[in-house]
Amino acid sequence: MTPETLNFFDKVYEVARQIPYGRVTSYGAIANFLGAKHGARMVGYAMNGSHNKDVPAHRVVNRKGLLTGKHHFQGTNLMQQLLENEGLEVVENQIQNFDKVFWDPIQLL
DNA sequence: CTCTTGACTGAGG
DNA sequence: GCCTCAGCCAAGA
């Protein structure tokens, strides 16, 4: 675990916290925003340790709007419930109107 | 050290 | 649109 990796983890959490209410983004978008050469996979891996942080990990999905990380949440459909609670429409672990609720961290600049 | 496993993604058929 | 393949790379066994 290099210092750069730790910094990367913190950056991921920092970006994730900036995701607006009712919006979502993808692992790749975050990776691209951070210029992460480790790739989107590491973003997902970073989220693995986001449990005891104030990170809305449920707003981060894969590029198709699929809730690939729902099994990392407590219960079976907690992630979906959280998203629906924010006014999002989720069917079969997939976010509906994904292109409309998608939020690219690049817009933060 | 090697091998496997992923909360991924883009390209090609 | 679907499926498959190949890069990607940190962590754990």
Side-chain angles (χ1 to χ4, degrees):
Chain A
M1 190 80 86
T2 67
E4 295 179 1
T5 312
L6 291 174
N7 183 59
F8 171 71
F9 272 56
D10 287 335
K11 288 292 188 57
V12 173
Y13 300 147
E14 194 175 332
V15 173
R17 268 192 285 265
Q18 308 306 314
I19 304 176
Y21 181 94
R23 307 293 291 286
V24 294
T25 191
S26 71
Y27 303 95
I30 295 177
N32 180 59
F33 174 74
L34 298 178
K37 304 194 183 321
H38 352 292
R41 275 193 128 115
M42 296 303 101
V43 176
Y45 199 88
M47 300 312 293
N48 216 333
S50 70
H51 269 273
N52 50 352
K53 315 262 181 190
D54 297 325
V55 178
H58 58 279
R59 294 183 187 148
V60 183
V61 298
N62 76 346
R63 72 176 177 98
K64 299 173 188 169
L66 210 51
L67 310 190
T68 51
K70 68 170 297 184
H71 294 298
H72 290 262
F73 284 81
Q74 298 178 358
T76 346
N77 60 343
L78 176 60
M79 186 175 187
Q80 177 172 335
Q81 291 300 316
L82 290 171
L83 290 170
E84 290 180 337
N85 188 45
E86 298 190 1
L88 294 183
E89 193 177 354
V90 180
V91 177
E92 291 288 309
N93 297 333
Q94 182 161 3
I95 297 176
Q96 306 301 297
N97 304 315
F98 180 61
D99 54 332
K100 297 181 180 178
V101 297
F102 180 77
W103 174 82
D104 194 327
I106 208 72
Q107 296 176 12
L108 207 53
L109 308 177

